[in-house]
Amino acid sequence: MTDYFGEINPPQRLLMGPGPVNAHPRVLRAMSADLLGQFDPEMTAYMNETMALYRQVFRTHNRWTFLIDGTARAAIEAALVSLITPQSKVLIVRFGRFGLLLTEICERLGAAYATVDAPWGEVVPMAAIREKALDYRPDVIACVHGDTSTTMAQPLDGLGELCREIGAFSYVDATATLGGMPIETDGWGVDIVTAGLQKCLGGPSGSAPITISDRAAEFIFSRRHTEKGIRAADAEDGHRPRIGSNYFDLAMIMDYWSEKRLNHHTEATTMLYGARECARVALQEGLEARFDRHARAGAAMTAGLRAMGLSVYGDDRYRMTNVTGVYIPNGLDGERVRQRMREDFEIEIGTAFGPLQGQIWRIGAMGYNAMKSKVLTTLAALEACLVSEGVAVNLGAAVPAAREVWG
């Protein structure tokens, strides 16, 4: 007998981990709209509107600001595979799991690289990045802005200036912070920044905003190689080695988003609708107001956890506003608490990776979930679950502390 399973009917869970988070209802409504053909004038108009909206979100005037079809990692890989040639040297700034991911991608590309590292829970001083860059003379400096694995945010002021001084390109992975913490693309002078929807922007995973400076775009177009099946008679290839991926070839994707409308792939229409609405929601709220809301949510969560008697992980000076790490009390099975949170309260909090696995929980408050009510509900539920597991906490202290900080 054929089993067709049941209609999808997921629980109404409050996602308070490091991402994904619950999507904004406006985003979900936008994604229910009818599909259009990829070259329909209404569709290409939506594409142009999306570019204009994300220029404001990224705080840039970059013409080449658009979407990569795929999760945030698709944009990371597109940026690196398009910037890094077989002769490139890359300097990678690492202070958590996602700096190690940049290393992994560089290794797969066969690129020469060096690293400048900080212990997990800290960030890399710009002076250390500068010292290593002047010694190594890389072609690309790649780093993460907010690394959810450690909950730390790397200061980036001065990175663009350093790269221009040594003739390098800069790449920043802002997957976890765009729309929740200031991303000053033009102010920092960085060349490529990528992000995802599923964290501070309050959308689903599956579309990845990207912005590219004119100088980086010129370099990428010097690697242009249009595939044979869509190649026009007057097509001109670049003089540098072609990009090693077809799907992530930014030169062809940029031609697709330009007036050329190169038929590189079929745009993910529903995801574009969602990404467009994510940007509209953020800009209508106001970026400064949005940053303040995330900062208050993070500060309230931290205050509540400490009032409960728990120890917060990492350097307070560089804490991401949208994800907080907290040590699991000694002798406690952290997964049992996470299970209780899900089963008793329909709330998800995050586990950890690598050296922090089993040591901390990661609790997020971002996008649509960076609300006072959701922070307070999460703290109250965590307190109840800890008490159920026999942990001695300061009963009733977390919620008042968080409320006072939120204001």
Side-chain angles (χ1 to χ4, degrees), residues 43 139 247 278 299 343 363:
M43 179 62 185
D139 301 290
Y247 188 74
C278 283
E343 293 180 354
I363 305 178

Side-chain angles (χ1 to χ4, degrees), residues 3-303:
D3 189 345
Y4 295 104
F5 304 107
E7 183 177 350
I8 288 177
N9 184 29
Q12 293 183 330
R13 194 159 285 152
L14 179 58
L15 304 180
M16 298 295 283
V21 301
N22 300 90
H24 196 290
R26 279 178 50 182
V27 174
L28 297 177
R29 287 196 294 269
M31 294 178 69
S32 69
D34 284 342
L35 300 182
L36 289 170
Q38 60 178 324
F39 300 119
D40 188 306
E42 281 78 9
M43 179 62 185
T44 54
Y46 290 148
M47 293 172 72
N48 291 341
E49 290 167 3
T50 301
M51 296 174 80
L53 290 165
Y54 276 96
R55 288 187 191 104
Q56 298 173 71
V57 176
F58 277 112
R59 294 185 161 182
T60 184
H61 292 94
N62 288 341
R63 174 190 177 187
W64 300 110
T65 304
F66 51 97
L67 303 175
I68 301 295
D69 289 345
T71 63
R73 189 172 300 202
I76 297 170
E77 192 145 358
L80 294 180
V81 75
S82 298
L83 275 183
I84 296 171
T85 71
Q87 291 76 41
S88 292
K89 295 167 62 179
V90 185
L91 177 61
I92 305 168
V93 180
R94 306 193 305 187
F95 56 100
R97 174 197 169 181
F98 294 101
L100 296 173
L101 171 63
L102 301 181
T103 306
E104 167 91 9
I105 295 172
C106 286
E107 288 174 346
R108 287 172 181 259
L109 292 174
Y113 68 89
T115 68
V116 55
D117 298 84
W120 287 33
E122 301 178 20
V123 296
V124 182
M126 189 56 66
I129 300 173
R130 179 179 181 81
E131 180 181 3
K132 188 69 175 183
L134 292 176
D135 176 62
Y136 187 60
R137 294 285 168 174
D139 301 290
V140 177
I141 299 180
C143 66
V144 177
H145 180 226
D147 196 316
T148 53
S149 69
T150 67
T151 73
M152 295 293 104
Q154 172 69 42
L156 293 175
D157 191 27
L159 179 64
E161 180 182 359
L162 170 61
C163 285
R164 280 165 173 75
E165 178 183 338
I166 64 174
F169 293 109
S170 50
Y171 166 69
V172 175
D173 169 11
T175 297
T177 50
L178 185 69
M181 295 182 70
I183 301 297
E184 305 290 353
T185 301
D186 288 358
W188 295 334
V190 292
D191 290 300
I192 300 184
V193 185
T194 67
L197 303 184
Q198 73 275 17
K199 297 183 187 280
C200 295
L201 285 168
S205 178
S207 185
I210 184 171
T211 188
I212 303 169
S213 71
D214 287 344
R215 68 190 290 264
E218 181 180 2
F219 177 83
I220 291 166
F221 281 133
S222 75
R223 303 185 67 190
R224 178 190 272 122
H225 178 90
T226 306
E227 65 180 78
K228 293 181 174 61
I230 55 175
R231 189 178 181 87
D234 60 351
E236 294 185 8
D237 290 337
H239 63 279
R240 287 190 173 91
R242 72 176 177 179
I243 294 165
S245 169
N246 179 291
Y247 188 74
F248 294 136
D249 185 325
L250 283 180
M252 285 200 289
I253 297 173
M254 289 151 71
D255 280 345
Y256 177 58
W257 280 80
S258 76
E259 297 78 7
K260 294 181 180 180
R261 301 298 175 193
L262 180 77
N263 189 15
H264 174 256
H265 66 282
T266 301
E267 180 57 27
T269 310
T270 300
M271 287 306 307
L272 182 137
Y273 294 164
R276 179 179 176 275
E277 194 64 15
C278 283
R280 278 172 28 87
V281 169
L283 295 172
Q284 286 174 355
E285 178 179 359
L287 291 179
E288 293 301 332
R290 195 175 182 89
F291 301 152
D292 178 68
R293 176 165 61 85
H294 280 80
R296 283 188 292 147
M301 185 70 76
T302 300

